Amino acid sequence: MDAPDIKTPLPGPKAKAIIDRDKRFVSPSYTRDYPFVIARGEGAIVEDVDGNRFLDCAAGIAVNSTGVSHPDVVKAICDQAGKFIHMSGTDFYYEPQVRLAEELASIAPIDGPVRTFFGNSGTEATEASIKLARYHTKRQGIIAFLGSFHGRSMGSLSLTASKAIQRRGFGPLLAGVFHARFPEPYRFNGSADECAAECLSYIRDQLFVQLVAPDEVAAIVVEPIQGEGGYIVPPPAFLQGLRELASEHGIVLVVDEVQSGMGRTGKMFASEHFGLRADVVNIAKGIASGLPLGVTCARADVMSWPAGAHASTFGGNPVSCAAASATIKLLKDGLVANAAAVGAHLMAGLRELQRKHSLIGDVRGLGLMIGVELVRNRETKERAIDERNALVQSMFRRGVLVLGAGKNAIRIAPPLVLTRAQADTFLRVMDEALSE
Ligand code: PLP
């Protein structure tokens, strides 16, 4: 089943009824771009409550790595749920959590022995990494990047610098956080290496000189590819430069692989594309194919906090751990390779669309983590914000789910089971929508 199939005007009557109830009883803080109400799904195809079928290139915000309800994941969940659903790894032991920690130790982009802290979400992974870095270094400062997204709880939100609305009204946030520029090669007037050098120089020559001494900095927290910020791929020299700065000054380098990890980029972790080795890696989203799980993996000597320092009742829930182990097996057995192959095919098709449609300013990404930035004018690179929003709507009406990222980009983040035929469907629909 590759093609979308839209049978009713959107939203259909059943979807509309549910959305009306949602409007009355659910928090108004969520941002729904279009009225999609899921009933079921299989692979990269999702069906709404009115029987309309969509090609899913959003994957529940880059979460459903193995597709919707992959049978192996469902089996792992059911098997574990039939034995015990919860015990709390904070106070008791269970094998699924240990097994997953062992598996993560063998794949995390960290040198040497690795230990894992278990939470429930990306933001909890960020919180754990902030606390761990402060505890380990006995320092307070944190460097994060403009455009970044690390979560919305108070510590994570203090690092997040993606959209002002996410911070508005919630201050004061955590003290000691400094934001530096993240390199955006497409918008930089010069080479990628010059772009990296300028961003690194700001930290070294200004931030460390004028704002905070490096020996007061506990952590540098960075996404190897900025996700919510617009699927921005930095020059490798930037990430390598951060590694050097961190090592030189005894700063913990925290790499946020929450969105870019678990095979999405065609390697298990985006860090691998850049030869980047972290001290701490945060992972969530795709790790358990949709069950809630967030983990903080750290070099064993960095994860030096004592019993009682940090924990979470539900963190590392056995059912989530079982889903994660099944997910990792599927990723290793072919889905990472599929993300690389189908991602390259999609990228080539998008570059063709770029030649045809002047609205496409930039196509960037790795594997199945692809951003398309829309501009009104290729010379001035004026951001096509309304056009981006209209494109997301138009693709929805044509049966393809995508989300925006940054001010004027769309992100393509399908399940890693996406087939070449489905990628072609995506390209056809995007071509039609852009021609509209
Ligand atoms: N870090 C990154 C890079 C993310 O993209 C996100 C969510 O989009 C988070 C952290 C926060 O994850 P969660 O929404 O699970 O708290």
Side-chain angles (χ1 to χ4, degrees):
M1 221 180 358
D2 295 324
D5 182 13
I6 305 302
K7 299 180 170 82
T8 66
L10 299 172
K14 289 184 185 158
K16 194 173 171 315
I18 291 171
I19 290 166
D20 287 347
R21 284 161 58 204
D22 180 291
K23 282 206 173 101
R24 288 181 59 208
F25 292 107
V26 176
S27 165
S29 60
Y30 303 126
T31 350
R32 280 72 166 259
D33 283 340
Y34 39 76
F36 176 70
V37 183
I38 187 169
R40 62 182 64 80
E42 193 184 331
I45 300 290
V46 285
E47 189 178 304
D48 79 0
V49 285
D50 295 290
N52 299 302
R53 273 207 310 272
F54 297 78
L55 178 62
D56 179 15
C57 288
I61 326 187
V63 169
N64 294 329
S65 46
T66 55
V68 182
S69 300
H70 190 290
D72 292 7
V73 178
V74 172
K75 181 171 184 315
I77 290 170
C78 292
D79 286 353
Q80 180 54 45
K83 292 178 198 155
F84 59 98
I85 292 174
H86 173 78
M87 196 57 205
S88 196
T90 62
D91 290 58
F92 304 95
Y93 300 98
Y94 43 88
E95 205 262 342
Q97 182 169 286
V98 181
R99 190 189 333 139
L100 180 56
E102 287 168 347
E103 286 163 354
L104 289 168
S106 72
I107 59 173
I110 296 174
D111 286 332
V114 169
R115 283 175 176 261
T116 293
F117 172 86
F118 288 90
N120 302 283
S121 61
T123 200
E124 282 180 71
T126 306
E127 295 293 341
S129 63
I130 294 171
K131 288 178 71 176
L132 181 61
R134 282 190 165 178
Y135 184 89
H136 178 72
T137 59
K138 308 281 175 267
R139 304 173 180 177
Q140 291 189 4
I142 313 272
I143 296 176
F145 293 89
L146 293 171
S148 68
F149 191 93
H150 299 289
R152 295 172 182 264
S153 49
M154 289 304 268
S156 311
L157 182 62
S158 312
L159 310 189
T160 290
S162 172
K163 296 193 184 94
I165 180 74
Q166 293 161 348
R167 298 163 69 98
R168 185 189 186 114
F170 298 127
L173 300 176
L174 209 60
V177 176
F178 302 87
H179 285 97
R181 246 183 71 201
F182 190 85
E184 235 182 305
Y186 174 63
R187 293 194 165 269
F188 184 79
N189 210 357
S191 72
D193 279 348
E194 286 164 350
C195 180
E198 194 176 286
C199 292
L200 290 167
S201 150
Y202 171 78
I203 299 174
R204 195 188 314 103
D205 304 323
Q206 283 183 274
L207 209 152
F208 282 171
V209 176
Q210 295 170 324
L211 287 170
V212 62
D215 65 4
E216 289 192 311
V217 176
I220 297 175
V221 183
V222 68
E223 293 164 86
I225 297 177
Q226 262 194 359
E228 306 296 308
Y231 276 30
I232 300 170
V233 186
F238 173 69
L239 294 170
Q240 284 150 12
L242 290 184
R243 175 67 275 175
E244 280 161 25
L245 279 177
S247 299
E248 185 184 338
H249 297 290
I251 297 168
V252 174
L253 182 64
V254 179
V255 176
D256 182 338
E257 290 261 17
V258 166
Q259 190 152 174
S260 58
M262 305 318 288
R264 174 149 300 284
T265 63
K267 292 191 187 286
M268 191 61 89
F269 294 99
S271 296
E272 295 168 31
H273 290 280
F274 304 100
L276 180 64
R277 307 301 281 175
D279 301 310
V280 174
V281 174
N282 292 329
I283 311 167
K285 285 197 184 281
I287 188 172
S289 292
L291 281 204
L293 184 65
V295 303
T296 298
C297 300
R299 255 185 24 227
D301 62 305
V302 172
M303 195 164 271
S304 56
W305 49 18
H310 194 47
S312 158
T313 300
F314 291 119
N317 169 274
V319 184
S320 296
C321 288
S325 290
T327 300
I328 290 171
K329 179 162 183 351
L330 288 164
L331 295 176
K332 284 182 174 172
D333 287 353
L335 292 186
V336 179
N338 188 64
V342 178
H345 177 70
L346 196 50
M347 188 76 101
L350 286 166
R351 292 211 196 287
E352 259 175 53
L353 288 187
Q354 185 180 21
R355 281 189 278 281
K356 181 169 169 191
H357 298 281
S358 61
L359 196 59
I360 299 183
D362 193 30
V363 176
R364 57 195 175 225
L366 291 165
L368 286 172
M369 182 169 192
I370 301 178
V372 179
E373 178 161 345
L374 304 186
V375 292
R376 290 193 173 149
N377 178 321
R378 282 195 182 156
E379 292 293 302
T380 62
K381 300 184 182 172
E382 186 192 347
R383 294 179 191 273
I385 299 168
D386 294 344
E387 293 84 343
R388 186 279 306 271
N389 296 342
L391 181 66
V392 171
Q393 297 299 327
S394 171
M395 294 194 66
F396 171 65
R397 285 196 306 277
R398 293 162 195 274
V400 172
L401 305 185
V402 285
L403 292 169
K407 297 190 188 84
N408 55 315
I410 65 161
R411 63 176 121 176
I412 305 165
L416 310 186
V417 295
L418 193 81
T419 62
R420 283 171 86 92
Q422 288 169 334
D424 289 338
T425 300
F426 176 89
L427 292 166
R428 177 180 53 74
V429 171
M430 185 158 169
D431 188 16
E432 284 168 19
L434 283 166
S435 305
E436 185 180 61

